[in-house]
Amino acid sequence: MAKVHVFDHPLIQHKLTYIRKSDTGTKEFRELVNELATLMAFEITRDLPTKEITIQTPVCEAKSRILEGKKLGIVPILRAGIGMVDGIIKLIPAAKVGHVGLFRDPETLKPVEYYVKLPSDVAEREFIVVDPMLATGGTAVEAINSMKKRGAVNIKFMCLVAAPEGVEVLTEAHPDVDVYIAALDEKLNEHGYIVPGLGDAGDRLFGTK
Ligand code: URA
């Protein structure tokens, strides 16, 4: 069964408050989303394997640890997920970046993929799929389906704000995918917005409306 981690770090909570506020403008919103992504990536990479090497300090020879070289991949769900990529790459510069784009079919209301590009060694990478919002869960489920279809086996999902409905749908569809959330909100409203949420993450990141 998937594990669901809700971060309670004070810095994460503080920055979240500011992205929720409706008077936070695009520039500040974008900066805060990236900072939140960095802080969350710090927590999410806690279990990365390390190995001991021998180094020379100015004082003596010493044994010290470095990352064991696990292959990581970041996959933003277009378009709002793009707002989290730089913040993660800052911390993990060797990670490769894939993209998944989906649109909602106006008749079936189901998400349909229109763009998928992943690193070629997909089966060997540990992926972090990112989207600021996990609302109904439909898009996240379909994005991960698209990745699994192409051979991805090791996937985590990271979002800033989630609705309980979305968490349930995602964890039921993909019990092997652990979910990392900065805030678990109350519910979805009748328009599919998370309550209290932060509005449309894509519009607030890119200044569109
Ligand atoms: N997508 C958003 O950007 N915001 C929501 O509240 C729900 C889905």
Side-chain angles (χ1 to χ4, degrees):
M1 192 60 200
K3 287 199 203 100
V4 179
H5 308 257
V6 182
F7 294 131
D8 59 359
H9 194 289
L11 286 175
I12 293 180
Q13 299 311 313
H14 177 85
K15 289 176 194 296
L16 256 176
T17 299
Y18 284 90
I19 60 167
R20 288 187 188 279
K21 280 164 61 87
S22 54
D23 60 357
T24 298
T26 299
K27 176 179 181 289
E28 197 186 351
F29 188 89
R30 200 180 283 150
E31 286 166 1
L32 286 166
V33 165
N34 269 312
E35 287 169 15
L36 278 160
T38 306
L39 291 169
M40 291 183 79
F42 182 75
E43 294 282 346
I44 212 173
T45 50
R46 198 172 272 287
D47 59 355
L48 282 183
T50 58
K51 65 178 178 193
E52 193 173 75
I53 59 165
T54 305
I55 55 162
Q56 184 68 44
T57 79
V59 180
C60 65
E61 193 174 271
K63 292 196 183 308
S64 198
R65 305 197 73 80
I66 58 167
L67 290 173
E68 200 157 27
K70 195 152 200 163
K71 293 177 162 186
L72 294 175
I74 317 299
V75 179
I77 299 179
L78 302 178
R79 74 182 157 146
I82 288 176
M84 298 171 75
V85 173
D86 285 352
I88 305 174
I89 290 294
K90 214 164 145 184
L91 213 58
I92 322 168
K96 297 213 169 157
V97 181
H99 293 87
V100 177
L102 304 149
F103 70 90
R104 190 180 290 270
D105 184 305
E107 274 170 24
T108 65
L109 299 180
K110 292 217 159 78
V112 180
E113 65 176 54
Y114 66 84
Y115 185 79
V116 182
K117 185 84 182 172
L118 301 174
S120 53
D121 53 356
V122 65
E124 293 149 44
R125 278 191 188 265
E126 187 168 306
F127 287 101
I128 306 173
V129 177
V130 296
D131 195 345
M133 311 301 275
L134 177 60
T136 62
T139 303
V141 167
E142 206 43 50
I144 294 168
N145 281 342
S146 298
M147 293 175 63
K148 287 185 173 175
K149 237 174 17 197
R150 289 165 175 82
V153 283
N154 197 336
I155 302 172
K156 292 173 172 167
F157 180 84
M158 176 171 131
C159 66
L160 302 183
V161 182
E165 296 90 327
V167 176
E168 196 180 325
V169 166
L170 176 56
T171 53
E172 268 182 23
H174 294 293
D176 56 317
V177 175
D178 288 350
V179 181
Y180 298 79
I181 303 168
L184 184 57
D185 275 11
E186 210 180 302
K187 59 175 184 185
L188 285 178
N189 70 14
E190 62 278 21
H191 306 293
Y193 279 95
I194 299 176
V195 179
L198 49 76
D200 188 302
D203 281 344
R204 297 198 63 189
L205 271 168
F206 300 114
T208 48
K209 195 88 185 146

Coordinates of all heavy atoms in Angstrom, one line a residue, residues 103-191:
F103 N -4.7 16.3 -21.5 CA -5.8 17.2 -21.6 C -7.1 16.5 -21.2 O -7.1 15.2 -21.3 CB -6.0 17.9 -23.0 CG -6.4 17.0 -24.1 CD1 -7.7 16.8 -24.3 CD2 -5.5 16.3 -24.8 CE1 -8.2 15.9 -25.3 CE2 -5.9 15.4 -25.8 CZ -7.2 15.2 -26.1
R104 N -8.1 17.2 -20.8 CA -9.4 16.6 -20.4 C -10.2 16.5 -21.7 O -10.6 17.5 -22.3 CB -10.0 17.4 -19.3 CG -11.2 16.7 -18.7 CD -11.8 17.6 -17.7 NE -11.0 17.7 -16.5 CZ -11.0 16.9 -15.5 NH1 -11.9 15.9 -15.4 NH2 -10.2 17.0 -14.5
D105 N -10.6 15.2 -22.0 CA -11.5 15.0 -23.2 C -12.9 15.6 -22.8 O -13.5 15.3 -21.8 CB -11.7 13.5 -23.4 CG -12.5 13.2 -24.6 OD1 -13.7 13.7 -24.7 OD2 -12.1 12.5 -25.5
P106 N -13.4 16.6 -23.6 CA -14.6 17.3 -23.3 C -15.8 16.4 -23.2 O -16.8 16.7 -22.5 CB -14.8 18.3 -24.4 CG -13.8 18.0 -25.5 CD -12.8 17.0 -24.9
E107 N -15.8 15.2 -23.9 CA -16.9 14.3 -23.9 C -16.9 13.3 -22.7 O -17.8 13.2 -21.9 CB -17.1 13.6 -25.2 CG -17.9 14.4 -26.1 CD -17.9 13.9 -27.6 OE1 -17.6 12.7 -27.8 OE2 -18.1 14.8 -28.5
T108 N -15.7 12.7 -22.6 CA -15.6 11.7 -21.5 C -15.2 12.3 -20.2 O -15.3 11.7 -19.1 CB -14.6 10.6 -21.9 OG1 -13.3 11.2 -21.9 CG2 -14.9 9.9 -23.2
L109 N -14.6 13.5 -20.2 CA -14.1 14.2 -19.1 C -12.8 13.5 -18.5 O -12.4 13.8 -17.4 CB -15.1 14.5 -18.0 CG -16.3 15.3 -18.4 CD1 -17.3 15.5 -17.2 CD2 -15.9 16.7 -18.9
K110 N -12.3 12.5 -19.3 CA -11.2 11.8 -18.8 C -9.9 12.4 -19.3 O -9.9 12.9 -20.5 CB -11.3 10.3 -19.3 CG -12.4 9.5 -18.6 CD -11.9 8.1 -18.4 CE -12.8 7.4 -17.3 NZ -14.1 7.0 -17.8
P111 N -8.8 12.3 -18.6 CA -7.5 12.9 -19.1 C -6.9 12.0 -20.2 O -6.9 10.8 -20.1 CB -6.6 12.9 -17.8 CG -7.3 12.2 -16.7 CD -8.7 11.8 -17.2
V112 N -6.5 12.7 -21.2 CA -5.9 11.9 -22.4 C -4.5 12.5 -22.6 O -4.3 13.7 -22.6 CB -6.7 12.2 -23.7 CG1 -6.2 11.5 -24.9 CG2 -8.2 11.8 -23.4
E113 N -3.5 11.6 -22.8 CA -2.1 12.2 -23.0 C -1.9 12.8 -24.4 O -2.4 12.3 -25.4 CB -1.1 11.1 -22.7 CG -1.1 9.9 -23.7 CD 0.0 8.9 -23.5 OE1 0.1 8.4 -22.4 OE2 0.7 8.6 -24.5
Y114 N -1.3 14.0 -24.4 CA -0.9 14.6 -25.7 C 0.6 14.7 -25.9 O 1.1 15.0 -27.0 CB -1.6 15.9 -25.9 CG -1.2 17.0 -24.9 CD1 0.0 17.8 -25.2 CD2 -1.8 17.3 -23.7 CE1 0.4 18.8 -24.3 CE2 -1.4 18.2 -22.9 CZ -0.3 19.0 -23.1 OH 0.1 19.9 -22.3
Y115 N 1.3 14.6 -24.8 CA 2.8 14.7 -24.9 C 3.5 13.9 -23.8 O 3.1 14.1 -22.6 CB 3.2 16.1 -24.8 CG 4.7 16.3 -25.0 CD1 5.2 16.3 -26.3 CD2 5.6 16.4 -23.9 CE1 6.6 16.5 -26.5 CE2 7.0 16.6 -24.2 CZ 7.4 16.6 -25.4 OH 8.8 16.7 -25.7
V116 N 4.3 13.0 -24.2 CA 5.1 12.2 -23.1 C 6.5 12.1 -23.7 O 6.8 11.6 -24.8 CB 4.5 10.8 -22.9 CG1 5.3 10.1 -21.8 CG2 3.1 10.9 -22.5
K117 N 7.5 12.6 -22.9 CA 8.9 12.4 -23.2 C 9.6 12.1 -21.9 O 9.7 12.9 -21.0 CB 9.4 13.7 -23.9 CG 10.8 13.6 -24.4 CD 10.9 13.0 -25.7 CE 12.3 12.9 -26.2 NZ 12.4 12.2 -27.5
L118 N 10.2 10.9 -21.9 CA 10.9 10.4 -20.7 C 12.4 10.1 -21.1 O 12.7 9.8 -22.2 CB 10.2 9.2 -20.2 CG 8.8 9.3 -19.8 CD1 8.2 8.0 -19.4 CD2 8.6 10.3 -18.6
P119 N 13.3 10.1 -20.1 CA 14.6 9.6 -20.3 C 14.6 8.2 -20.9 O 13.8 7.4 -20.6 CB 15.3 9.7 -19.0 CG 14.4 10.5 -18.1 CD 13.1 10.4 -18.7
S120 N 15.6 7.9 -21.8 CA 15.6 6.6 -22.5 C 15.8 5.4 -21.5 O 15.2 4.3 -21.8 CB 16.6 6.6 -23.6 OG 17.8 6.9 -23.1
D121 N 16.5 5.6 -20.4 CA 16.8 4.5 -19.5 C 15.7 4.5 -18.4 O 16.0 4.4 -17.2 CB 18.2 4.6 -18.9 CG 18.4 6.0 -18.3 OD1 17.5 6.9 -18.4 OD2 19.4 6.2 -17.6
V122 N 14.4 4.5 -18.9 CA 13.3 4.7 -18.0 C 13.2 3.7 -16.9 O 12.8 4.0 -15.8 CB 12.0 4.9 -18.9 CG1 11.7 3.6 -19.6 CG2 10.8 5.3 -18.1
A123 N 13.5 2.4 -17.2 CA 13.3 1.4 -16.3 C 14.3 1.4 -15.1 O 14.1 0.9 -14.1 CB 13.4 0.0 -17.0
E124 N 15.4 2.1 -15.3 CA 16.5 2.1 -14.3 C 16.4 3.4 -13.4 O 17.2 3.5 -12.5 CB 17.9 2.2 -15.0 CG 18.2 0.9 -15.7 CD 19.1 1.2 -16.9 OE1 20.1 2.0 -16.7 OE2 18.9 0.7 -18.0
R125 N 15.5 4.3 -13.7 CA 15.5 5.6 -12.9 C 14.4 5.5 -11.8 O 13.4 4.9 -12.0 CB 15.1 6.7 -13.9 CG 16.4 7.2 -14.5 CD 16.4 8.4 -15.3 NE 17.6 8.4 -15.9 CZ 18.7 9.0 -15.5 NH1 18.7 9.8 -14.4 NH2 19.9 8.9 -16.1
E126 N 14.7 6.3 -10.8 CA 13.8 6.6 -9.8 C 13.1 7.9 -10.1 O 13.8 8.9 -10.1 CB 14.4 6.6 -8.4 CG 13.5 6.7 -7.3 CD 14.2 6.4 -5.9 OE1 14.8 5.4 -5.8 OE2 14.0 7.3 -5.1
F127 N 11.8 7.9 -10.3 CA 11.2 9.2 -10.8 C 10.4 9.9 -9.7 O 9.8 9.2 -8.8 CB 10.2 8.8 -11.9 CG 10.8 8.5 -13.2 CD1 10.9 7.2 -13.6 CD2 11.3 9.5 -14.0 CE1 11.6 6.9 -14.8 CE2 11.9 9.2 -15.2 CZ 12.1 7.9 -15.6
I128 N 10.5 11.2 -9.7 CA 9.6 12.0 -8.8 C 8.6 12.7 -9.8 O 9.1 13.6 -10.6 CB 10.4 13.0 -8.0 CG1 11.5 12.3 -7.2 CG2 9.4 13.8 -7.1 CD1 12.4 13.2 -6.4
V129 N 7.4 12.4 -9.8 CA 6.4 13.1 -10.6 C 5.9 14.3 -9.8 O 5.5 14.1 -8.6 CB 5.2 12.1 -10.9 CG1 4.1 12.9 -11.7 CG2 5.7 10.9 -11.7
V130 N 5.9 15.4 -10.4 CA 5.5 16.6 -9.7 C 4.3 17.4 -10.3 O 4.3 17.6 -11.5 CB 6.7 17.6 -9.5 CG1 7.7 16.9 -8.6 CG2 7.3 18.1 -10.8
D131 N 3.4 17.8 -9.5 CA 2.3 18.7 -9.9 C 1.9 19.5 -8.6 O 1.8 18.8 -7.6 CB 1.1 17.8 -10.4 CG 0.1 18.6 -11.1 OD1 0.1 19.9 -11.0 OD2 -0.8 18.0 -11.8
P132 N 1.8 20.8 -8.7 CA 1.5 21.5 -7.4 C 0.2 21.0 -6.7 O 0.1 21.0 -5.5 CB 1.4 22.9 -7.8 CG 2.1 23.0 -9.1 CD 2.0 21.7 -9.8
M133 N -0.8 20.6 -7.6 CA -2.1 20.3 -7.0 C -2.5 18.9 -7.3 O -2.4 18.4 -8.4 CB -3.2 21.2 -7.6 CG -2.8 22.7 -7.6 SD -2.5 23.4 -5.9 CE -4.2 23.7 -5.4
L134 N -3.0 18.2 -6.3 CA -3.6 16.8 -6.5 C -5.1 17.0 -6.1 O -5.5 17.0 -4.9 CB -2.9 15.8 -5.6 CG -3.5 14.4 -5.6 CD1 -3.4 13.8 -7.0 CD2 -2.8 13.5 -4.6
A135 N -5.9 17.2 -7.1 CA -7.3 17.5 -6.9 C -8.2 16.2 -7.0 O -8.3 15.5 -6.0 CB -7.8 18.6 -7.9
T136 N -8.7 15.9 -8.2 CA -9.5 14.7 -8.3 C -8.6 13.4 -8.3 O -9.1 12.3 -8.1 CB -10.3 14.7 -9.6 OG1 -9.4 14.7 -10.7 CG2 -11.3 15.9 -9.7
G137 N -7.4 13.6 -8.7 CA -6.4 12.5 -8.8 C -6.4 11.9 -10.2 O -5.5 11.2 -10.6
G138 N -7.4 12.3 -11.1 CA -7.4 11.7 -12.4 C -6.2 12.0 -13.3 O -5.7 11.0 -13.9
T139 N -5.7 13.2 -13.2 CA -4.5 13.5 -14.1 C -3.3 12.8 -13.5 O -2.5 12.2 -14.3 CB -4.3 15.0 -14.0 OG1 -5.4 15.7 -14.5 CG2 -3.1 15.4 -14.9
A140 N -3.1 12.7 -12.2 CA -1.9 12.1 -11.7 C -2.0 10.6 -12.0 O -0.9 10.0 -12.4 CB -1.9 12.3 -10.1
V141 N -3.1 10.0 -11.9 CA -3.3 8.5 -12.2 C -2.9 8.3 -13.6 O -2.1 7.4 -13.9 CB -4.7 8.0 -11.9 CG1 -4.9 6.6 -12.5 CG2 -5.0 8.0 -10.4
E142 N -3.4 9.1 -14.5 CA -3.2 8.9 -16.0 C -1.7 9.2 -16.3 O -1.1 8.5 -17.2 CB -4.1 9.8 -16.8 CG -4.5 9.3 -18.2 CD -4.7 7.8 -18.3 OE1 -5.5 7.3 -17.5 OE2 -4.1 7.2 -19.1
A143 N -1.1 10.2 -15.7 CA 0.3 10.5 -16.0 C 1.2 9.3 -15.6 O 2.1 8.9 -16.3 CB 0.7 11.8 -15.2
I144 N 0.9 8.7 -14.4 CA 1.7 7.6 -14.0 C 1.4 6.4 -14.8 O 2.3 5.6 -15.1 CB 1.4 7.4 -12.5 CG1 2.0 8.6 -11.7 CG2 2.1 6.1 -12.0 CD1 1.6 8.6 -10.2
N145 N 0.1 6.2 -15.3 CA -0.2 5.1 -16.3 C 0.7 5.3 -17.5 O 1.3 4.3 -18.0 CB -1.6 5.2 -16.7 CG -2.6 4.6 -15.7 OD1 -2.1 3.8 -14.8 ND2 -3.8 4.9 -15.8
S146 N 0.8 6.5 -18.0 CA 1.6 6.8 -19.2 C 3.1 6.4 -19.0 O 3.7 5.9 -19.9 CB 1.6 8.3 -19.6 OG 0.3 8.6 -19.9
M147 N 3.6 6.7 -17.8 CA 5.0 6.4 -17.5 C 5.2 4.9 -17.3 O 6.2 4.3 -17.8 CB 5.4 7.1 -16.2 CG 5.4 8.6 -16.4 SD 5.8 9.4 -14.8 CE 7.5 8.8 -14.5
K148 N 4.3 4.2 -16.7 CA 4.4 2.8 -16.5 C 4.3 2.0 -17.8 O 5.1 1.1 -18.0 CB 3.3 2.2 -15.5 CG 3.6 2.6 -14.0 CD 2.6 2.0 -13.1 CE 2.9 2.3 -11.7 NZ 1.9 1.8 -10.7
K149 N 3.5 2.5 -18.7 CA 3.3 1.9 -20.0 C 4.6 2.0 -20.8 O 4.9 1.1 -21.6 CB 2.3 2.8 -20.8 CG 1.1 2.0 -21.3 CD 0.0 2.8 -22.0 CE 0.3 4.2 -22.5 NZ -1.0 4.9 -22.7
R150 N 5.5 3.0 -20.5 CA 6.8 3.1 -21.1 C 7.9 2.5 -20.3 O 9.1 2.7 -20.6 CB 7.0 4.6 -21.4 CG 6.1 5.1 -22.5 CD 6.1 6.6 -22.5 NE 5.4 7.1 -23.7 CZ 4.0 7.2 -23.7 NH1 3.3 6.9 -22.6 NH2 3.4 7.6 -24.7
G151 N 7.6 1.8 -19.3 CA 8.6 1.0 -18.6 C 9.0 1.6 -17.2 O 9.9 1.0 -16.6
A152 N 8.5 2.7 -16.8 CA 8.9 3.2 -15.4 C 8.4 2.3 -14.3 O 7.2 1.9 -14.4 CB 8.3 4.6 -15.3
V153 N 9.2 2.0 -13.4 CA 8.8 1.1 -12.3 C 8.9 1.7 -10.9 O 8.3 1.2 -10.0 CB 9.6 -0.3 -12.4 CG1 9.1 -1.2 -13.5 CG2 11.1 0.0 -12.5
N154 N 9.8 2.7 -10.8 CA 10.0 3.3 -9.5 C 9.6 4.7 -9.5 O 10.3 5.6 -10.0 CB 11.5 3.1 -9.3 CG 11.9 3.3 -7.8 OD1 11.1 3.9 -7.1 ND2 13.0 2.7 -7.4
I155 N 8.4 5.0 -8.9 CA 7.8 6.3 -9.0 C 7.4 6.8 -7.7 O 6.8 6.1 -6.9 CB 6.6 6.3 -10.0 CG1 7.1 5.8 -11.4 CG2 6.0 7.7 -10.1 CD1 5.9 5.5 -12.3
K156 N 7.6 8.1 -7.4 CA 7.1 8.8 -6.2 C 6.3 10.0 -6.8 O 6.6 10.5 -7.9 CB 8.2 9.4 -5.3 CG 8.9 8.3 -4.6 CD 10.1 8.8 -3.8 CE 10.7 7.7 -3.0 NZ 12.0 8.1 -2.5
F157 N 5.3 10.4 -6.1 CA 4.5 11.6 -6.5 C 4.6 12.7 -5.5 O 4.4 12.4 -4.3 CB 3.0 11.2 -6.7 CG 2.1 12.3 -7.2 CD1 2.0 12.6 -8.5 CD2 1.4 13.1 -6.3 CE1 1.3 13.7 -9.0 CE2 0.7 14.2 -6.7 CZ 0.6 14.5 -8.0
M158 N 4.8 13.9 -5.9 CA 5.0 15.0 -5.0 C 4.1 16.2 -5.4 O 4.2 16.6 -6.6 CB 6.5 15.4 -5.0 CG 6.9 16.6 -4.2 SD 8.7 16.7 -4.2 CE 8.9 18.4 -4.6
C159 N 3.4 16.7 -4.5 CA 2.5 17.9 -4.8 C 2.6 18.8 -3.6 O 3.0 18.4 -2.5 CB 1.1 17.5 -5.1 SG 0.2 16.7 -3.7
L160 N 2.1 20.0 -3.8 CA 2.1 21.0 -2.7 C 0.8 20.9 -1.9 O 0.8 20.8 -0.7 CB 2.2 22.4 -3.3 CG 3.4 22.8 -4.1 CD1 3.5 24.2 -4.5 CD2 4.7 22.4 -3.3
V161 N -0.3 20.9 -2.6 CA -1.6 20.8 -1.9 C -2.5 19.7 -2.5 O -2.6 19.5 -3.7 CB -2.4 22.2 -2.1 CG1 -3.7 22.1 -1.3 CG2 -1.5 23.3 -1.6
A162 N -3.0 18.9 -1.6 CA -3.8 17.7 -2.0 C -5.2 17.8 -1.4 O -5.4 18.2 -0.3 CB -3.1 16.4 -1.7
A163 N -6.2 17.3 -2.1 CA -7.5 17.0 -1.6 C -7.6 15.5 -1.2 O -7.0 14.7 -1.9 CB -8.6 17.3 -2.6
P164 N -8.3 15.2 -0.1 CA -8.4 13.8 0.4 C -8.9 12.9 -0.8 O -8.5 11.8 -0.9 CB -9.4 13.9 1.5 CG -9.3 15.3 2.0 CD -9.0 16.2 0.8
E165 N -9.8 13.5 -1.6 CA -10.4 12.7 -2.7 C -9.3 12.2 -3.6 O -9.3 11.1 -4.1 CB -11.5 13.5 -3.4 CG -12.7 13.9 -2.6 CD -12.5 15.3 -1.9 OE1 -11.4 15.6 -1.5 OE2 -13.5 16.0 -1.8
G166 N -8.4 13.1 -4.0 CA -7.3 12.8 -4.9 C -6.3 11.8 -4.4 O -5.9 11.0 -5.1
V167 N -6.1 12.0 -3.1 CA -5.1 11.0 -2.4 C -5.7 9.6 -2.5 O -5.0 8.7 -2.8 CB -4.8 11.5 -1.0 CG1 -3.9 10.4 -0.3 CG2 -4.2 12.8 -0.9
E168 N -7.0 9.5 -2.2 CA -7.6 8.2 -2.2 C -7.6 7.6 -3.7 O -7.2 6.4 -3.8 CB -9.0 8.3 -1.8 CG -9.6 7.0 -1.4 CD -11.0 7.1 -0.9 OE1 -11.4 8.1 -0.2 OE2 -11.8 6.2 -1.2
V169 N -7.9 8.4 -4.6 CA -8.0 7.9 -6.0 C -6.6 7.5 -6.5 O -6.4 6.4 -7.0 CB -8.5 9.0 -7.0 CG1 -8.3 8.6 -8.4 CG2 -10.0 9.2 -6.7
L170 N -5.6 8.3 -6.2 CA -4.2 8.0 -6.6 C -3.6 6.7 -5.9 O -3.0 5.9 -6.5 CB -3.3 9.2 -6.3 CG -1.8 9.0 -6.7 CD1 -1.6 8.6 -8.1 CD2 -1.0 10.4 -6.4
T171 N -3.8 6.7 -4.6 CA -3.2 5.5 -3.9 C -3.9 4.2 -4.2 O -3.3 3.2 -4.1 CB -3.2 5.8 -2.3 OG1 -4.5 6.1 -1.9 CG2 -2.2 6.9 -1.9
E172 N -5.2 4.3 -4.5 CA -5.9 3.1 -4.9 C -5.4 2.6 -6.3 O -5.2 1.4 -6.5 CB -7.4 3.3 -4.9 CG -8.0 2.9 -3.6 CD -9.5 3.1 -3.5 OE1 -10.2 3.0 -4.5 OE2 -9.9 3.2 -2.4
A173 N -5.3 3.6 -7.2 CA -4.9 3.2 -8.6 C -3.4 2.8 -8.6 O -3.0 1.9 -9.4 CB -5.1 4.4 -9.5
H174 N -2.6 3.4 -7.8 CA -1.1 3.1 -7.8 C -0.6 2.8 -6.4 O 0.1 3.7 -5.8 CB -0.3 4.2 -8.5 CG -0.7 4.4 -9.9 ND1 -0.3 3.5 -10.9 CD2 -1.3 5.4 -10.6 CE1 -0.8 3.9 -12.1 NE2 -1.4 5.1 -11.9
P175 N -0.9 1.7 -5.9 CA -0.5 1.4 -4.5 C 1.0 1.4 -4.3 O 1.5 1.4 -3.2 CB -1.1 0.1 -4.1 CG -1.6 -0.5 -5.4 CD -1.7 0.6 -6.4
D176 N 1.8 1.3 -5.4 CA 3.3 1.2 -5.3 C 3.9 2.6 -5.3 O 5.1 2.7 -5.2 CB 3.8 0.4 -6.5 CG 3.3 1.0 -7.8 OD1 2.1 1.3 -8.0 OD2 4.1 1.2 -8.8
V177 N 3.1 3.6 -5.5 CA 3.6 5.0 -5.6 C 3.4 5.8 -4.3 O 2.2 6.1 -3.9 CB 2.9 5.8 -6.8 CG1 3.4 7.2 -6.8 CG2 3.2 5.0 -8.1
D178 N 4.5 6.1 -3.6 CA 4.3 6.9 -2.4 C 4.0 8.3 -2.7 O 4.5 8.8 -3.7 CB 5.6 6.8 -1.5 CG 5.8 5.4 -0.9 OD1 4.8 4.6 -0.9 OD2 6.8 5.1 -0.3
V179 N 3.3 9.0 -1.8 CA 2.8 10.3 -2.1 C 3.3 11.3 -1.1 O 3.3 11.0 0.1 CB 1.2 10.3 -2.1 CG1 0.7 11.7 -2.4 CG2 0.7 9.3 -3.1
Y180 N 3.9 12.4 -1.5 CA 4.5 13.4 -0.7 C 3.7 14.7 -0.8 O 3.6 15.2 -2.0 CB 6.0 13.6 -1.0 CG 6.8 12.3 -0.8 CD1 6.7 11.3 -1.7 CD2 7.5 12.1 0.4 CE1 7.4 10.1 -1.5 CE2 8.2 10.9 0.6 CZ 8.1 9.9 -0.4 OH 8.8 8.7 -0.1
I181 N 3.2 15.2 0.3 CA 2.3 16.4 0.2 C 2.8 17.4 1.2 O 3.2 17.1 2.3 CB 0.9 15.9 0.6 CG1 0.4 14.8 -0.2 CG2 -0.1 17.1 0.6 CD1 -0.9 14.1 0.3
A182 N 2.7 18.7 0.8 CA 3.0 19.8 1.8 C 1.8 20.1 2.7 O 1.9 20.3 3.8 CB 3.5 21.0 1.1
A183 N 0.6 20.0 2.1 CA -0.6 20.3 2.8 C -1.8 19.4 2.3 O -2.0 19.4 1.1 CB -1.0 21.8 2.8
L184 N -2.4 18.7 3.3 CA -3.6 17.9 2.9 C -4.8 18.8 3.3 O -5.1 19.0 4.5 CB -3.6 16.6 3.7 CG -4.7 15.7 3.4 CD1 -4.8 15.3 1.9 CD2 -4.6 14.4 4.2
D185 N -5.5 19.3 2.3 CA -6.6 20.2 2.6 C -7.9 19.5 2.8 O -8.0 18.3 2.9 CB -6.8 21.2 1.4 CG -5.8 22.4 1.5 OD1 -4.9 22.4 2.4 OD2 -6.0 23.4 0.7
E186 N -9.0 20.3 2.9 CA -10.3 19.8 3.4 C -11.0 19.0 2.4 O -11.5 17.9 2.7 CB -11.1 21.1 3.8 CG -12.1 21.0 4.8 CD -12.8 22.3 5.0 OE1 -12.0 23.3 5.3 OE2 -14.0 22.4 4.8
K187 N -11.2 19.6 1.2 CA -12.1 18.9 0.2 C -11.9 19.6 -1.2 O -11.2 20.6 -1.3 CB -13.5 19.0 0.7 CG -14.0 20.5 0.8 CD -15.4 20.6 1.2 CE -15.8 22.1 1.2 NZ -17.1 22.5 1.6
L188 N -12.7 19.0 -2.1 CA -12.9 19.7 -3.4 C -14.2 20.4 -3.5 O -15.2 19.9 -2.9 CB -12.9 18.6 -4.5 CG -11.6 17.9 -4.9 CD1 -11.9 16.8 -6.0 CD2 -10.6 18.9 -5.5
N189 N -14.3 21.5 -4.1 CA -15.6 22.2 -4.3 C -16.3 21.7 -5.6 O -15.7 20.9 -6.3 CB -15.5 23.7 -4.1 CG -14.8 24.4 -5.3 OD1 -14.6 23.7 -6.4 ND2 -14.5 25.6 -5.2
E190 N -17.4 22.2 -5.9 CA -18.2 21.7 -7.0 C -17.5 22.1 -8.4 O -17.9 21.5 -9.4 CB -19.7 22.3 -7.0 CG -19.9 23.8 -7.0 CD -19.6 24.5 -5.7 OE1 -19.0 23.9 -4.8 OE2 -20.1 25.6 -5.5
H191 N -16.6 23.0 -8.4 CA -15.8 23.3 -9.6 C -14.5 22.5 -9.7 O -13.7 22.8 -10.6 CB -15.5 24.8 -9.7 CG -16.8 25.7 -9.5 ND1 -17.8 25.7 -10.4 CD2 -17.2 26.5 -8.4 CE1 -18.7 26.5 -10.0 NE2 -18.4 27.0 -8.8

